[in-house]
Amino acid sequence: RKEVEQDPGPFNVPEGATVAFNCTYSNSASQSFFWYRQDCRKEPKLLMSVYSSGNEDGRFTAQLNRASQYISLLIRDSKLSDSATYLCVVRTAGGYQKVTFGTGTKLQVIP
Amino acid sequence: DAGVIQSPRHEVTEMGQEVTLRCKPISGHDYLFWYRQTMMRGLELLIYFNNNVPIDDSGMPEDRFSAKMPNASFSTLKIQPSEPRDSAVYFCASSYGWNQPQHFGDGTRLSIL
């Protein structure tokens, strides 16, 4: 089993739709979590950190489920500009620090 | 605010040549990461440093790859000798603290002919 897994997609959704991505992780020692977006031929850019209680930033909501070991990203009212690849990042801490990126989920918002 | 600065942006060279990629992290950041990204393998962590000290280099593919961080504001990733399968985009990222988000440079697009 991969340490961090994402559905590669692509997710093709119409403008205005709500779309959700999940990212599962296998290491129960994982402590910090992030969502990044990456546009074609560009660097990954931080979208939002994921906090234990869940957090929202405008149209974006991130959730953490420690019991089931996954994080989620919800995008409401999708815009054409949301088309990108969304990467989850998981970091462990303690004796052996490790950071792992998921392979990404591709989103295409269609007019 | 200056972000992470990488150079060169593009590099095309022939196999067997030495390649040196450079990175200047964000001032004050104590972690520096080198990644490689390809279509087949996605984003792979090669090595990371904390306070200029290499902590985990388990992602470095083989002895042809080496990385150094002589001071807090500069790091290099060297490939010698280079091979066509090293062709990829190489990203450098830095963060302030382990649990804080990483900030990426623009990347170096490396093509080995």
Side-chain angles (χ1 to χ4, degrees), chain B residues 28-42:
Chain B
H29 281 193
D30 55 346
Y31 281 86
L32 184 140
F33 305 81
W34 281 102
Y35 290 89
R36 176 173 70 177
Q37 188 173 39
T38 60
M39 289 292 292
M40 291 296 293
R41 301 171 70 95

Side-chain angles (χ1 to χ4, degrees), chain A residues 11-25:
Chain A
F11 283 56
N12 297 313
V13 302
E15 266 187 294
T18 295
V19 61
F21 310 133
N22 281 345
C23 168
T24 59
Y25 60 94

